[in-house]
Amino acid sequence: MAQRTLYELLNGSETVIARQRFVYYFVGGYPITPIWTIHNIAGSGGTQTMADDGLKLLTGTSSSNNIQIDFNNKRQYDYKSSRVIGCIKRVSVDNCFIDGGFKAGYGDDNNNLAFLHIEEYSSINGIFFQTNAAKTDTGLSTDLQWHNYDIELTPASGILSVHGSISVTRTADLPGANLQPAFKILTRISAAAEGRVKYCEAMNT
């Protein structure tokens, strides 16, 4: 009896065209380029370096300085049929936010995105599901712990799961253009903000 190929085992048949899948662990001392590109979106001086517990993202030191890492606008994921999974955390105690998920570009805007949004600033404290400019509170408290998220986009909705439980389903203000994995951090004050990224997985469904 002939053994089935790994491709057959994963996809059911050699005649099936496999869907695209991307997996990346932010570990070790390897540079993240050429896969990931860092953008100083507002301000300058933002950096990314590998730390013991994942990729360290650090903004510049002026208010609203923010940086994003992404695929340099190589948008390979269908905004109506895709998933992105990741693991992020804030390191700075307050006056900042960190995002992880999908975005269509890297401008300082809220166009065509689906993010887990973790913020601690004034009255904006919490963990949110953000699609475009709209946010829905998950009801989870903001903290400095790791947060695993899974965002699934369909033609009619965006579904956010945090730590394996469905937290929010959104049906309005959904992305309308193909997407790339992205991570972003912003400082609200004149001091650098710091966050971590540990894992990213993205696929068309």
Side-chain angles (χ1 to χ4, degrees), residues 125-139:
N125 300 320
I127 299 177
F128 304 86
F129 183 26
Q130 179 175 355
T131 58
N132 299 342
K135 300 186 188 78
T136 301
D137 197 333
T138 65

Side-chain angles (χ1 to χ4, degrees), residues 4-16:
R4 299 179 70 193
T5 66
L6 179 60
Y7 189 95
E8 288 178 291
L9 292 171
L10 292 174
N11 300 288
S13 167
E14 288 186 351
T15 63
V16 173

Side-chain angles (χ1 to χ4, degrees), residues 144-167:
L144 302 180
Q145 304 303 311
W146 287 104
H147 293 283
N148 300 318
Y149 63 85
D150 183 342
I151 297 170
E152 182 170 7
L153 298 175
T154 74
S157 66
I159 303 165
L160 168 70
S161 299
V162 182
H163 302 304
S165 299
I166 294 176
S167 297

Side-chain angles (χ1 to χ4, degrees), residues 1 32 35 45 62 74 85 95 101 136 151 162 173 181:
M1 178 178 175
I32 66 170
I35 297 173
S62 296
K74 306 296 188 298
I85 300 166
N95 299 311
T136 301
I151 297 170
V162 182
D173 298 301

Side-chain angles (χ1 to χ4, degrees), residues 17 41 167:
I17 304 301
I41 299 170
S167 297

Side-chain angles (χ1 to χ4, degrees), residues 9 19 32 49 63 67 71 86 107 131 134 146 152 169 174 181 188 195:
L9 292 171
R19 292 185 176 94
I32 66 170
T49 54
S63 178
I67 61 172
F71 283 5
T131 58
W146 287 104
E152 182 170 7
T169 298
L174 299 175
R188 295 288 193 185

